[in-house]
Amino acid sequence: MEYYFIGDAELLTAFRFIGIEGTAANTPEEALSAFRRLTRGEVAEGAVLLPQESSYKVLILTEEVAAWLGNELIDWQLSGKYPLVVEIPGILGPMEGRKTLIDAIREAIGIHI
C-alpha cells in the first residue's frame, strides 16, 4: 500500500526514514497546494512533484494540516475516493480539544483502564 504524508518538516523526516514520501507544509497555502496535487493532480507554477494519476492509497495529515484544509478535506472524505485520510497529532502533540486515540477507544467501549 502506498502512503503519503503532509505535515511539519520534523515528522516528514521521520516518515522518510521508514520509506514514506511526503511534503512539508508550514502554511495553509502550502498544505492546500500539496493536498490538491495529490487528490486532483493540480500543479501550481509548473512544479510537478507528483504524477497526475496518483497511486497513493493513504494520506497521512497532521491535525494542524487537516484544520487548515477545512471543508476541502471534509468534501474529499465524503467523496469516498482514494487516498483515504488519516489524521495524526503533530510534533507538539494533539491539538487542544482533540481526543487522543486512547480517549476515543475508552469512549467507544465505555471502559476506563
Coordinates of all heavy atoms in Angstrom, one line a residue, residues 19-102:
G19 N 10.4 5.1 4.8 CA 10.1 4.9 3.4 C 8.8 5.5 2.9 O 8.3 5.2 1.8
I20 N 8.3 6.5 3.7 CA 7.1 7.2 3.3 C 7.4 8.6 2.8 O 8.0 9.3 3.5 CB 6.0 7.2 4.4 CG1 5.6 5.8 4.8 CG2 4.8 8.1 4.1 CD1 4.7 5.8 6.0
E21 N 7.1 8.9 1.6 CA 7.3 10.2 1.0 C 6.3 11.2 1.5 O 5.2 10.8 2.0 CB 7.3 10.1 -0.5 CG 8.5 9.4 -1.1 CD 9.8 10.1 -0.8 OE1 9.9 11.4 -0.9 OE2 10.7 9.4 -0.4
G22 N 6.6 12.5 1.3 CA 5.6 13.5 1.7 C 6.1 14.9 1.4 O 7.1 15.1 0.7
T23 N 5.3 15.8 1.9 CA 5.6 17.2 1.7 C 5.5 18.0 3.0 O 4.5 17.7 3.8 CB 4.5 17.8 0.7 OG1 4.6 17.1 -0.5 CG2 4.7 19.3 0.5
A24 N 6.4 18.8 3.3 CA 6.4 19.7 4.5 C 5.5 20.9 4.1 O 5.6 21.5 3.1 CB 7.8 20.2 4.8
A25 N 4.5 21.1 5.0 CA 3.6 22.3 4.9 C 3.7 23.1 6.1 O 3.3 22.7 7.2 CB 2.2 21.7 4.6
N26 N 4.1 24.3 6.0 CA 4.3 25.3 7.1 C 3.2 26.3 7.1 O 3.1 27.1 8.1 CB 5.6 25.9 7.1 CG 6.7 24.9 7.2 OD1 6.7 24.0 8.1 ND2 7.7 25.0 6.3
T27 N 2.4 26.4 6.1 CA 1.3 27.4 6.0 C 0.1 26.7 5.4 O 0.2 25.7 4.7 CB 1.7 28.6 5.0 OG1 1.9 28.1 3.7 CG2 3.0 29.2 5.5
P28 N -1.1 27.3 5.6 CA -2.3 26.8 5.0 C -2.2 26.7 3.5 O -2.7 25.7 2.9 CB -3.4 27.7 5.4 CG -2.9 28.3 6.7 CD -1.4 28.4 6.5
E29 N -1.5 27.6 2.8 CA -1.4 27.6 1.4 C -0.6 26.5 0.9 O -0.9 25.8 -0.1 CB -0.8 29.0 0.9 CG -1.7 30.2 1.1 CD -1.6 30.7 2.6 OE1 -0.7 30.4 3.3 OE2 -2.6 31.4 2.9
E30 N 0.5 26.2 1.6 CA 1.4 25.0 1.2 C 0.6 23.7 1.4 O 0.7 22.8 0.6 CB 2.6 25.0 2.1 CG 3.6 26.1 1.7 CD 4.8 26.2 2.7 OE1 4.8 25.4 3.7 OE2 5.7 26.9 2.4
A31 N -0.1 23.6 2.5 CA -0.9 22.4 2.7 C -2.0 22.2 1.7 O -2.1 21.1 1.1 CB -1.6 22.5 4.1
L32 N -2.7 23.3 1.3 CA -3.7 23.2 0.3 C -3.1 22.8 -1.1 O -3.7 22.0 -1.8 CB -4.5 24.5 0.2 CG -5.7 24.5 -0.7 CD1 -6.7 23.4 -0.2 CD2 -6.4 25.9 -0.7
S33 N -2.0 23.4 -1.4 CA -1.3 23.1 -2.7 C -0.9 21.6 -2.7 O -1.2 20.9 -3.7 CB -0.1 24.0 -2.8 OG 0.6 23.6 -4.0
A34 N -0.3 21.1 -1.7 CA 0.1 19.7 -1.6 C -1.1 18.8 -1.7 O -1.1 17.8 -2.4 CB 0.9 19.4 -0.4
F35 N -2.2 19.1 -1.0 CA -3.4 18.3 -1.0 C -4.0 18.3 -2.4 O -4.4 17.2 -2.8 CB -4.4 18.9 0.1 CG -5.6 18.1 0.2 CD1 -5.6 16.9 0.9 CD2 -6.8 18.5 -0.4 CE1 -6.8 16.1 1.0 CE2 -8.0 17.8 -0.2 CZ -8.0 16.6 0.5
R36 N -4.1 19.4 -3.0 CA -4.7 19.4 -4.4 C -3.8 18.7 -5.4 O -4.4 18.0 -6.3 CB -4.9 20.9 -4.8 CG -6.1 21.5 -4.1 CD -6.3 22.9 -4.5 NE -7.5 23.4 -3.9 CZ -7.9 24.7 -3.9 NH1 -7.1 25.6 -4.5 NH2 -9.0 25.1 -3.3
R37 N -2.5 18.7 -5.3 CA -1.6 18.0 -6.1 C -1.9 16.5 -6.0 O -2.0 15.8 -7.0 CB -0.2 18.2 -5.8 CG 0.5 19.3 -6.5 CD 2.0 19.3 -6.4 NE 2.6 18.8 -5.2 CZ 2.9 19.6 -4.2 NH1 2.7 20.9 -4.2 NH2 3.4 19.0 -3.1
L38 N -2.1 16.1 -4.8 CA -2.3 14.6 -4.5 C -3.7 14.2 -4.9 O -3.8 13.1 -5.5 CB -2.0 14.4 -3.0 CG -2.0 12.9 -2.6 CD1 -0.8 12.2 -3.3 CD2 -1.9 12.8 -1.2
T39 N -4.7 14.9 -4.6 CA -6.1 14.5 -4.8 C -6.6 14.8 -6.2 O -7.5 14.1 -6.7 CB -7.0 15.0 -3.7 OG1 -7.0 16.5 -3.8 CG2 -6.6 14.5 -2.4
R40 N -6.2 15.9 -6.8 CA -6.7 16.4 -8.0 C -5.7 16.4 -9.2 O -6.1 16.6 -10.3 CB -7.3 17.8 -7.9 CG -8.4 18.0 -6.9 CD -8.8 19.4 -6.9 NE -9.8 19.7 -5.9 CZ -10.2 20.9 -5.6 NH1 -9.8 21.9 -6.3 NH2 -11.1 21.1 -4.6
G41 N -4.5 16.2 -8.9 CA -3.5 16.3 -9.9 C -3.2 17.7 -10.3 O -2.5 18.0 -11.3
E42 N -3.6 18.7 -9.5 CA -3.4 20.1 -9.8 C -1.9 20.5 -9.5 O -1.4 20.1 -8.5 CB -4.3 21.0 -9.0 CG -5.7 20.9 -9.4 CD -6.6 21.9 -8.6 OE1 -6.1 22.8 -7.9 OE2 -7.9 21.7 -8.8
V43 N -1.3 21.2 -10.4 CA 0.1 21.6 -10.2 C 0.1 23.1 -10.3 O -0.4 23.7 -11.3 CB 1.0 20.9 -11.3 CG1 2.4 21.4 -11.1 CG2 0.8 19.4 -11.2
A44 N 0.8 23.8 -9.4 CA 1.0 25.2 -9.4 C 2.3 25.6 -9.9 O 3.3 25.0 -9.6 CB 0.8 25.8 -8.0
E45 N 2.4 26.6 -10.8 CA 3.6 27.1 -11.3 C 4.6 26.1 -11.9 O 5.8 26.2 -11.8 CB 4.4 27.9 -10.2 CG 3.5 29.0 -9.5 CD 3.2 30.1 -10.5 OE1 4.0 30.5 -11.3 OE2 2.0 30.6 -10.4
G46 N 4.0 25.1 -12.5 CA 4.9 24.1 -13.2 C 5.7 23.2 -12.4 O 6.6 22.5 -12.9
A47 N 5.6 23.2 -11.1 CA 6.4 22.4 -10.2 C 5.7 21.1 -10.0 O 4.9 20.9 -9.2 CB 6.6 23.1 -8.8
V48 N 6.1 20.1 -10.9 CA 5.5 18.8 -10.8 C 6.2 18.0 -9.8 O 7.4 17.6 -9.9 CB 5.5 18.1 -12.2 CG1 4.9 16.7 -12.1 CG2 4.9 19.0 -13.2
L49 N 5.5 17.6 -8.7 CA 6.1 16.8 -7.7 C 5.5 15.4 -7.6 O 6.0 14.5 -7.1 CB 5.9 17.5 -6.3 CG 6.6 18.8 -6.1 CD1 6.4 19.4 -4.8 CD2 8.1 18.6 -6.4
L50 N 4.2 15.3 -8.1 CA 3.5 14.0 -8.1 C 2.9 13.7 -9.4 O 2.6 14.6 -10.2 CB 2.4 14.1 -7.1 CG 2.8 14.3 -5.6 CD1 1.5 14.6 -4.8 CD2 3.5 13.1 -5.1
P51 N 2.8 12.4 -9.8 CA 2.1 12.1 -11.0 C 0.7 12.5 -11.0 O 0.0 12.6 -10.0 CB 2.3 10.6 -11.1 CG 2.4 10.2 -9.7 CD 3.1 11.3 -9.0
Q52 N 0.1 12.8 -12.2 CA -1.3 13.2 -12.4 C -2.2 12.1 -11.8 O -3.1 12.4 -11.1 CB -1.6 13.4 -13.8 CG -0.9 14.6 -14.4 CD -1.5 15.9 -13.9 OE1 -2.3 16.0 -13.0 NE2 -1.0 17.0 -14.5
E53 N -1.9 10.8 -12.1 CA -2.7 9.7 -11.6 C -2.0 9.2 -10.4 O -1.1 8.4 -10.6 CB -2.9 8.7 -12.7 CG -3.7 9.1 -13.9 CD -5.2 9.1 -13.6 OE1 -5.6 8.2 -12.9 OE2 -5.9 9.9 -14.3
S54 N -2.3 9.6 -9.2 CA -1.6 9.1 -8.0 C -1.9 7.7 -7.6 O -3.1 7.3 -7.7 CB -2.0 10.1 -6.9 OG -1.4 9.6 -5.7
S55 N -0.9 7.0 -7.2 CA -1.1 5.6 -6.8 C -1.2 5.5 -5.2 O -1.3 4.5 -4.7 CB 0.0 4.7 -7.2 OG 1.2 5.2 -6.7
Y56 N -1.2 6.7 -4.6 CA -1.3 6.7 -3.1 C -2.7 6.3 -2.6 O -3.7 6.7 -3.1 CB -0.9 8.1 -2.6 CG 0.5 8.4 -2.9 CD1 0.8 9.4 -3.9 CD2 1.6 7.8 -2.3 CE1 2.1 9.7 -4.2 CE2 2.9 8.1 -2.6 CZ 3.1 9.0 -3.6 OH 4.4 9.3 -3.9
K57 N -2.7 5.4 -1.6 CA -4.0 4.9 -1.1 C -4.3 5.5 0.3 O -5.5 5.6 0.7 CB -3.9 3.4 -1.0 CG -3.8 2.7 -2.3 CD -4.9 3.0 -3.3 CE -4.7 2.3 -4.6 NZ -5.5 2.8 -5.6
V58 N -3.3 5.9 1.0 CA -3.5 6.5 2.3 C -2.7 7.8 2.4 O -1.5 7.9 2.2 CB -3.0 5.6 3.5 CG1 -3.2 6.2 4.8 CG2 -3.8 4.2 3.4
L59 N -3.4 8.9 2.8 CA -2.8 10.2 3.0 C -2.8 10.5 4.5 O -3.8 10.5 5.2 CB -3.6 11.3 2.3 CG -3.2 12.7 2.5 CD1 -1.7 12.9 2.1 CD2 -4.1 13.6 1.7
I60 N -1.6 10.6 5.1 CA -1.4 10.9 6.5 C -1.2 12.4 6.6 O -0.3 13.0 6.0 CB -0.2 10.2 7.0 CG1 -0.3 8.7 6.8 CG2 0.0 10.5 8.5 CD1 1.0 7.9 7.0
L61 N -2.1 13.1 7.4 CA -2.0 14.5 7.7 C -1.9 14.7 9.2 O -2.4 14.0 10.0 CB -3.4 15.2 7.3 CG -3.8 15.0 5.8 CD1 -5.2 15.7 5.7 CD2 -2.9 15.6 4.9
T62 N -1.2 15.8 9.5 CA -1.2 16.2 10.9 C -2.5 16.9 11.2 O -3.2 17.4 10.3 CB 0.0 17.2 11.2 OG1 -0.1 18.3 10.4 CG2 1.4 16.5 11.0
E63 N -2.9 17.0 12.4 CA -4.1 17.6 12.8 C -4.2 19.1 12.4 O -5.2 19.6 12.0 CB -4.4 17.5 14.3 CG -4.6 16.1 14.8 CD -4.7 16.0 16.3 OE1 -4.2 16.9 17.0 OE2 -5.2 15.0 16.8
E64 N -3.0 19.7 12.5 CA -2.9 21.1 12.1 C -3.2 21.3 10.6 O -3.9 22.2 10.2 CB -1.5 21.7 12.4 CG -1.4 23.1 12.1 CD 0.0 23.7 12.6 OE1 1.0 22.9 12.5 OE2 0.0 24.8 13.0
V65 N -2.6 20.4 9.8 CA -2.9 20.5 8.3 C -4.3 20.2 8.0 O -4.9 20.9 7.2 CB -1.9 19.5 7.6 CG1 -2.4 19.3 6.1 CG2 -0.5 20.0 7.6
A66 N -4.9 19.2 8.7 CA -6.3 18.9 8.5 C -7.2 20.1 8.8 O -8.1 20.4 8.1 CB -6.7 17.7 9.3
A67 N -6.8 20.8 9.9 CA -7.6 22.0 10.3 C -7.5 23.1 9.2 O -8.4 23.8 8.9 CB -7.1 22.5 11.6
W68 N -6.3 23.2 8.6 CA -6.0 24.2 7.6 C -6.9 23.9 6.3 O -7.4 24.8 5.6 CB -4.6 24.3 7.2 CG -3.7 24.9 8.2 CD1 -4.0 25.8 9.2 CD2 -2.3 24.8 8.2 NE1 -2.9 26.2 9.9 CE2 -1.8 25.6 9.3 CE3 -1.3 24.1 7.5 CZ2 -0.5 25.7 9.7 CZ3 0.0 24.2 7.9 CH2 0.4 25.0 9.0
L69 N -7.0 22.6 6.0 CA -7.8 22.2 4.8 C -9.3 22.4 4.9 O -10.0 22.6 3.9 CB -7.4 20.8 4.4 CG -6.0 20.5 4.1 CD1 -5.8 19.0 3.8 CD2 -5.6 21.3 2.8
G70 N -9.8 22.3 6.2 CA -11.2 22.6 6.4 C -12.2 21.9 5.6 O -12.1 20.6 5.5
N71 N -13.1 22.6 4.9 CA -14.1 22.0 4.1 C -13.6 21.2 2.9 O -14.3 20.3 2.5 CB -15.1 23.1 3.7 CG -16.0 23.6 4.8 OD1 -16.2 22.9 5.8 ND2 -16.5 24.8 4.7
E72 N -12.5 21.6 2.4 CA -12.0 20.9 1.3 C -11.6 19.4 1.7 O -11.9 18.5 0.9 CB -10.7 21.6 0.7 CG -10.2 20.9 -0.5 CD -9.8 21.8 -1.6 OE1 -9.9 23.1 -1.5 OE2 -9.2 21.3 -2.6
L73 N -11.1 19.2 2.8 CA -10.8 17.9 3.4 C -12.1 17.1 3.6 O -12.2 16.0 3.3 CB -10.0 18.0 4.6 CG -9.7 16.7 5.3 CD1 -8.9 15.7 4.4 CD2 -8.9 16.9 6.6
I74 N -13.1 17.8 4.2 CA -14.4 17.1 4.5 C -15.0 16.7 3.2 O -15.5 15.5 3.1 CB -15.3 18.1 5.3 CG1 -14.7 18.3 6.7 CG2 -16.7 17.5 5.4 CD1 -15.4 19.4 7.5
D75 N -15.0 17.5 2.2 CA -15.6 17.1 0.9 C -14.9 15.9 0.3 O -15.5 15.0 -0.2 CB -15.5 18.3 -0.1 CG -16.5 19.5 0.3 OD1 -17.4 19.2 1.1 OD2 -16.3 20.6 -0.2
W76 N -13.5 15.9 0.4 CA -12.8 14.8 -0.1 C -13.1 13.5 0.6 O -13.3 12.5 0.0 CB -11.3 15.0 0.0 CG -10.5 13.9 -0.5 CD1 -9.9 12.9 0.2 CD2 -10.3 13.5 -1.9 NE1 -9.3 12.0 -0.6 CE2 -9.6 12.4 -1.9 CE3 -10.7 14.1 -3.1 CZ2 -9.2 11.8 -3.1 CZ3 -10.3 13.5 -4.3 CH2 -9.5 12.4 -4.3
Q77 N -13.2 13.6 2.0 CA -13.5 12.4 2.8 C -14.9 11.8 2.4 O -15.1 10.6 2.4 CB -13.4 12.7 4.3 CG -12.0 12.9 4.7 CD -11.8 13.4 6.1 OE1 -12.5 14.3 6.5 NE2 -10.9 12.8 6.9
L78 N -15.9 12.7 2.2 CA -17.2 12.3 1.9 C -17.3 11.7 0.4 O -18.3 11.0 0.1 CB -18.2 13.4 2.0 CG -18.4 13.9 3.5 CD1 -19.3 15.1 3.5 CD2 -19.0 12.8 4.3
S79 N -16.3 12.0 -0.4 CA -16.4 11.5 -1.8 C -16.2 10.0 -1.9 O -16.5 9.4 -2.9 CB -15.4 12.3 -2.6 OG -14.0 11.8 -2.4
G80 N -15.5 9.5 -0.9 CA -15.2 8.0 -0.9 C -14.0 7.6 -1.8 O -13.9 6.5 -2.1
K81 N -13.3 8.6 -2.3 CA -12.2 8.3 -3.3 C -10.9 8.1 -2.5 O -10.8 8.4 -1.3 CB -12.0 9.5 -4.2 CG -13.2 9.8 -5.1 CD -12.9 11.0 -5.9 CE -14.1 11.5 -6.7 NZ -13.8 12.7 -7.5
Y82 N -9.9 7.5 -3.2 CA -8.6 7.3 -2.7 C -7.8 8.6 -3.0 O -8.0 9.2 -4.0 CB -7.9 6.1 -3.3 CG -8.4 4.8 -2.7 CD1 -9.2 4.0 -3.5 CD2 -8.0 4.4 -1.5 CE1 -9.7 2.8 -3.0 CE2 -8.4 3.2 -1.0 CZ -9.3 2.4 -1.7 OH -9.7 1.2 -1.2
P83 N -6.9 9.0 -2.1 CA -6.4 8.3 -0.9 C -7.3 8.5 0.3 O -8.0 9.6 0.4 CB -5.0 8.9 -0.7 CG -5.2 10.3 -1.3 CD -6.1 10.2 -2.4
L84 N -7.4 7.5 1.1 CA -8.1 7.7 2.4 C -7.2 8.6 3.3 O -6.0 8.6 3.2 CB -8.3 6.3 3.1 CG -9.1 5.3 2.3 CD1 -9.1 4.0 3.0 CD2 -10.5 5.8 2.0
V85 N -7.9 9.3 4.2 CA -7.2 10.3 5.0 C -7.1 9.8 6.5 O -8.1 9.4 7.0 CB -7.8 11.7 4.9 CG1 -7.1 12.7 5.8 CG2 -7.8 12.2 3.5
V86 N -5.9 9.9 7.0 CA -5.7 9.6 8.4 C -5.0 10.8 9.1 O -4.0 11.3 8.6 CB -4.7 8.4 8.6 CG1 -4.4 8.1 10.1 CG2 -5.3 7.2 7.9
E87 N -5.6 11.3 10.2 CA -5.1 12.4 10.9 C -4.3 11.9 12.1 O -4.7 11.0 12.8 CB -6.2 13.3 11.4 CG -6.9 14.0 10.3 CD -8.0 14.9 10.9 OE1 -7.8 15.5 11.9 OE2 -9.1 15.0 10.2
I88 N -3.1 12.5 12.3 CA -2.2 12.2 13.4 C -1.9 13.5 14.2 O -1.9 14.6 13.5 CB -1.0 11.4 13.0 CG1 -0.1 12.3 12.2 CG2 -1.3 10.1 12.4 CD1 1.3 11.7 11.9
P89 N -1.5 13.4 15.4 CA -1.1 14.6 16.1 C 0.3 15.1 15.5 O 1.0 14.3 15.0 CB -0.9 14.2 17.6 CG -1.7 12.9 17.7 CD -1.7 12.3 16.3
G90 N 0.5 16.4 15.6 CA 1.8 16.9 15.1 C 2.9 16.7 16.1 O 2.7 16.0 17.1
I91 N 4.0 17.2 15.8 CA 5.2 17.0 16.6 C 5.0 17.5 18.1 O 5.7 17.0 19.0 CB 6.5 17.7 16.0 CG1 7.8 17.2 16.5 CG2 6.4 19.2 16.0 CD1 8.1 15.8 16.1
L92 N 4.1 18.5 18.3 CA 3.9 19.0 19.6 C 2.8 18.3 20.3 O 2.4 18.7 21.4 CB 3.6 20.5 19.5 CG 4.7 21.4 18.9 CD1 4.2 22.8 18.8 CD2 6.0 21.3 19.7
G93 N 2.3 17.3 19.8 CA 1.2 16.5 20.4 C -0.2 16.9 19.9 O -0.3 17.7 18.9
P94 N -1.3 16.4 20.4 CA -2.6 16.6 19.9 C -3.0 18.1 20.1 O -2.5 18.8 21.1 CB -3.5 15.8 20.8 CG -2.6 14.9 21.6 CD -1.3 15.4 21.6
M95 N -3.8 18.6 19.2 CA -4.3 20.0 19.3 C -5.2 20.1 20.4 O -5.9 19.1 20.8 CB -4.9 20.4 18.0 CG -4.0 20.6 16.8 SD -4.8 21.0 15.3 CE -5.5 22.6 15.6
E96 N -5.4 21.2 21.0 CA -6.3 21.4 22.1 C -7.7 21.1 21.7 O -8.1 21.5 20.6 CB -6.2 22.9 22.6 CG -6.9 23.1 23.9 CD -6.7 24.5 24.5 OE1 -5.6 25.0 24.4 OE2 -7.6 25.0 25.1
G97 N -8.4 20.3 22.5 CA -9.8 20.0 22.2 C -9.9 18.7 21.4 O -11.0 18.2 21.2
R98 N -8.8 18.1 20.9 CA -8.9 16.9 20.2 C -8.7 15.7 21.1 O -7.9 15.7 22.0 CB -7.8 16.8 19.1 CG -7.8 17.9 18.1 CD -8.7 17.4 16.9 NE -8.8 18.4 15.9 CZ -8.6 18.1 14.6 NH1 -8.3 16.9 14.2 NH2 -8.7 19.0 13.7
K99 N -9.4 14.6 20.8 CA -9.3 13.4 21.6 C -8.0 12.6 21.1 O -7.7 12.6 19.9 CB -10.5 12.5 21.4 CG -11.8 13.1 21.9 CD -12.9 12.1 21.6 CE -14.2 12.7 22.0 NZ -15.3 11.8 21.6
T100 N -7.4 12.0 22.1 CA -6.3 11.1 21.7 C -7.0 9.7 21.3 O -8.2 9.5 21.5 CB -5.4 10.8 22.9 OG1 -6.1 10.1 23.9 CG2 -4.8 12.1 23.4
L101 N -6.2 8.9 20.7 CA -6.8 7.6 20.3 C -7.3 6.8 21.5 O -8.3 6.2 21.5 CB -5.7 6.8 19.5 CG -6.1 5.4 19.1 CD1 -7.3 5.4 18.1 CD2 -4.9 4.7 18.4
I102 N -6.5 6.9 22.6 CA -6.9 6.1 23.8 C -8.3 6.7 24.3 O -9.2 5.9 24.7 CB -5.8 6.2 24.9 CG1 -4.6 5.4 24.4 CG2 -6.4 5.7 26.2 CD1 -3.4 5.5 25.3

